[in-house]
Amino acid sequence: MSLKDFIIICEVGKGAFGSVHKAKRIQDTKLYALKQMDITQLNTKDIGNCVNEIRLLASIEHDNIVSYNDAFYDEGTKTLNIVMEFMENGDLEVKIHDTIKRKSIFKEELIWSYLEQITRGLKHLHDNR
């Protein structure tokens, strides 16, 4: 697998080590979140952390945790790429910011639903160490 297998649609997030893009895989036309990390500037410890993140993501399967699909290193861009489930409606942070921007509030039932989902995902992580 390489970046040539994807059509990058747009950037959906950016962090200290790289960025996350909404991408369509050419083979199956499915949408994915493609996390790209430039590892050329990372030290050995940070590269180890990236590898551990991939191992952790690959070992988790739960309805309340974003699913891992694949990972690969792209020689052309010198990026480590993690292919994950794309969440069309964004994550909780996006929902919070949208609600604040609209000067609105969450309904209590929705808050309880989010709390239950977070708790189920966290319990799964703890149960599997």
Side-chain angles (χ1 to χ4, degrees):
M1 185 172 288
S2 76
L3 284 177
K4 293 176 185 171
D5 297 322
F6 292 89
I7 298 169
I8 305 296
I9 297 170
C10 64
E11 186 176 274
V12 294
K14 196 166 184 88
F17 294 112
S19 56
V20 179
H21 295 88
K22 178 179 181 179
K24 183 185 291 189
R25 188 163 61 185
I26 296 168
Q27 178 184 12
D28 59 10
T29 69
K30 283 184 67 176
L31 293 176
Y32 293 93
L34 181 65
K35 183 176 183 177
Q36 294 184 289
M37 296 173 283
D38 177 5
I39 62 170
T40 59
Q41 306 300 316
L42 300 182
N43 61 39
T44 305
K45 181 182 176 187
D46 289 334
I47 291 173
N49 288 339
C50 290
V51 171
N52 285 338
E53 178 182 356
I54 292 169
R55 286 184 183 140
L56 177 66
L57 289 170
S59 71
I60 299 168
E61 190 173 322
H62 192 272
D63 288 343
N64 299 114
I65 300 173
V66 174
S67 64
Y68 164 89
N69 185 270
D70 204 349
F72 60 92
Y73 177 75
D74 186 73
E75 187 66 42
T77 58
K78 305 285 190 220
T79 56
L80 178 60
N81 297 270
I82 303 175
V83 183
M84 299 179 295
E85 172 184 13
F86 181 72
M87 306 302 293
E88 188 66 46
N89 295 320
D91 60 14
L92 184 57
E93 182 180 15
V94 169
K95 292 179 185 304
I96 290 169
H97 286 292
D98 286 347
T99 302
I100 291 168
K101 191 185 295 184
R102 289 191 325 265
K103 296 183 180 176
S104 183
I105 60 171
F106 288 111
K107 291 185 178 182
E108 183 179 351
E109 299 83 27
L110 188 58
I111 294 170
W112 283 113
S113 173
Y114 289 159
L115 182 60
E116 179 183 8
Q117 292 173 56
I118 292 166
T119 304
R120 287 178 188 268
L122 189 58
K123 181 181 183 325
H124 178 78
L125 292 174
H126 281 275
D127 288 349
N128 292 281
R129 300 192 196 295

